[in-house]
Amino acid sequence: MAVRTLDDVTPANQRVLVREDLNVPLKDGEVADEARLRAALPTLQRLLDAGARVMVMSHLGRPKAGSFDPKASMAPVARRLGELLGQDVPVVRDWLETDPAPAAGELVLCENVRFNAGETDDDEDLSRRMAGLCDLFVMDAFGTAHRAQASTHGVARFAPDAVAGPLLAAELAALGKALEAPARPLVAIIGGSKVSTKLTVLEQLTDRVDQLIVGGGIANTFIAAAGHPVGQSLIEADLVDTARALMDKARAAGGEIPIPEDVVVADELSETAEARVRDVDSVGDGEMILDVGPKTAAAYAERLRQAGTIVWNGPVGVFEIDAFGGGTRALAEAIAESPAFSIAGGGDTLAAVAKYGVSDRISYISTGGGAFLEFLEGRELPAVAVLDR
C-alpha cells in the first residue's frame, strides 16, 4: 500500500503529533524492556533535528478509561526516553485541555491516551480534539495499526495533514516485500496453540506460499488430520477436517504443508518432564507432543536455508522449556543462516529470537503482534488505510 511519509512533508517549526507504540513492560517503576522505545528513536530524533515541535502519544497497559491511574502513567517511559534522546522529556497530563506543543526542536510526552474516555471507541469528538493540537499527524505505531481508535485512526481523519512515520513505513515495506513480490521459494512458519486462532492466516497463506510449516498445537491438529496418533496432545478435533482440506488445497496450488517425521513427547508439560523422541506414527496414548523431533527440525532447517523469502510467526514447540525448544532453536538458527529475506513478528516469536540470539541476522523484525498477524491474514489495517485515503 502506497502512503505518504515524512519524506513528503517539511516538519520544521510545525506542531507534530506522533503516535508511537511505547507500551513497554514496567518493573518496580522502571522500563523493563526498552525495545519499543529504541524502535521509535529514529523517528523522534529525525523530527527533533528538523526543528519540529514534537508531541508524542502512546497507550500503556489497559487502564480504566476516563480517569488518571498513576500505575499506568507514562512517567517511567518519559524518564527512559529522555535518557535515550539526551534531553528532558516532560509528561503533559492535561494535554487535551492545554496547548502542549513545546518549542522547536523539543519533545513532550502526552499522558496515556487510554485515560481519555472514547479512545478505544474511536470517538469523533476526542479525535477532533487531538487533531486540533497539531499541524501534522504522524502515525508511526504499526503495533496498533489494526485498531481503529482515536489516537491511531480518528485523529488522522481530522488532522490538517497526516503521514506514515518511518517505522510504520518500514513495516509496510518489509511486509510488502515478503508477501506481495517475494523471492521464491516463499516459506511461512506459523506456530501457536490453536488452529482456530490462526485459521484465517493459514487459509490466506496456503494460496500464496510454496511451503507452510505449522508448529505447536497447530501442528498436532495437522498430524491428526494426516492419520497419525497424537495421544494426549493439544488438538482441536473439530478442525481436523479443516486441516486436511488445507493440506489438499496447498497441494492443489503446487505448495505443501509438511507433516513432522518425528516429534518430542512427554507425559506432562513441566520443567522436570522427561523428553522422548518418537516417530510421528508412534506416539503413545498417554504422551503429549511438545516439539518437533531432530529429523524434522533438520528437514525444515534445510528448506529454510534454500528459501528466497521467510515469514515467521510462532514457535514450533514449547521453547520456554529447553527440553522442548530444540525445534524452534534449529529453525531460528536456520533462518539466521539463510540468505533469504526474512521477517519475524509476534510476541512469542520475538521471545524466541531473543532467546536464541539471532535478532541481528533476521532481515526485519516486526514491532507488531496483532497487526502483523492481521496483515498476514489479508485484512485492512484501519490506521494505515486512513492514511491512504
Side-chain angles (χ1 to χ4, degrees), residues 364-385:
Y364 193 86
I365 295 178
S366 174
T367 59
F372 181 85
L373 190 61
E374 291 198 15
F375 192 102
L376 297 185
E377 291 175 353
R379 297 191 196 182
E380 180 180 84
L381 304 181
V384 175

Side-chain angles (χ1 to χ4, degrees), residues 270-282:
S270 73
E271 293 278 358
T272 58
E274 177 193 0
R276 301 180 292 273
V277 177
R278 295 274 188 263
D279 287 340
V280 72
D281 58 359
S282 301

Side-chain angles (χ1 to χ4, degrees), residues 19 21 23 57-69 72 74 95-96 110-121 126 130 143-152:
R19 179 55 158 98
D21 183 6
N23 184 33
M57 296 188 296
S58 178
H59 71 288
L60 183 64
R62 296 183 178 181
K64 182 179 178 180
S67 61
F68 175 78
D69 180 356
M74 300 299 297
W95 54 284
L96 285 170
C110 301
E111 189 54 280
N112 196 332
V113 294
R114 291 196 177 167
F115 290 164
N116 302 304
E119 158 64 12
T120 58
D121 299 322
L126 178 60
M130 291 178 177
T144 63
H146 60 306
R147 300 183 181 127
Q149 299 183 346
S151 68
T152 62

Side-chain angles (χ1 to χ4, degrees), residues 218-236:
I218 290 174
N220 297 340
T221 301
F222 280 81
I223 290 170
H228 301 294
V230 294
Q232 298 300 308
S233 306
L234 172 66
I235 71 164
E236 290 177 283

Side-chain angles (χ1 to χ4, degrees), residues 242-328:
T242 300
R244 190 177 298 115
L246 286 171
M247 289 189 286
D248 292 342
K249 182 181 178 184
R251 281 191 291 269
E256 181 186 11
I257 302 177
I259 298 300
E261 302 174 55
D262 57 347
V263 292
V264 177
V265 303
D267 295 330
E268 62 178 9
L269 175 57
S270 73
E271 293 278 358
T272 58
E274 177 193 0
R276 301 180 292 273
V277 177
R278 295 274 188 263
D279 287 340
V280 72
D281 58 359
S282 301
V283 176
D285 291 343
E287 295 178 325
M288 305 168 64
I289 300 172
L290 299 173
D291 193 13
V292 297
K295 288 189 294 186
T296 300
Y300 288 175
E302 185 58 30
R303 293 169 188 244
L304 293 169
R305 292 189 187 98
Q306 297 179 12
T309 305
I310 300 168
V311 177
W312 181 17
N313 179 249
V316 294
V318 188
F319 76 98
E320 295 88 349
I321 300 175
D322 288 342
F324 311 117
T328 301

Side-chain angles (χ1 to χ4, degrees), residues 90-255:
V91 178
V92 183
R93 180 167 170 178
D94 298 320
W95 54 284
L96 285 170
E97 314 302 330
T98 63
D99 179 4
E106 294 183 0
L107 178 148
V108 298
L109 183 57
C110 301
E111 189 54 280
N112 196 332
V113 294
R114 291 196 177 167
F115 290 164
N116 302 304
E119 158 64 12
T120 58
D121 299 322
D122 200 17
D123 180 75
E124 181 172 327
D125 179 65
L126 178 60
S127 300
R128 287 183 180 276
R129 292 170 66 195
M130 291 178 177
L133 299 176
C134 68
D135 304 304
L136 172 68
F137 171 66
V138 178
M139 175 57 186
D140 203 38
F142 178 76
T144 63
H146 60 306
R147 300 183 181 127
Q149 299 183 346
S151 68
T152 62
H153 173 266
V155 61
R157 294 173 57 205
F158 305 113
D161 198 3
V163 298
L167 183 57
L168 176 61
E171 294 268 4
L172 296 175
L175 285 164
K177 181 176 180 179
L179 295 176
E180 294 169 10
R184 299 281 181 173
L186 168 57
V187 181
I189 305 164
I190 302 296
S193 59
K194 295 182 178 181
V195 172
S196 56
T197 61
K198 294 188 176 178
L199 180 58
T200 304
V201 72
L202 291 170
E203 291 174 335
Q204 286 287 329
L205 290 178
T206 298
D207 289 328
R208 305 171 75 170
V209 306
D210 299 296
Q211 293 172 352
L212 177 57
I213 295 172
V214 292
I218 290 174
N220 297 340
T221 301
F222 280 81
I223 290 170
H228 301 294
V230 294
Q232 298 300 308
S233 306
L234 172 66
I235 71 164
E236 290 177 283
D238 58 332
L239 289 176
V240 167
D241 288 343
T242 300
R244 190 177 298 115
L246 286 171
M247 289 189 286
D248 292 342
K249 182 181 178 184
R251 281 191 291 269

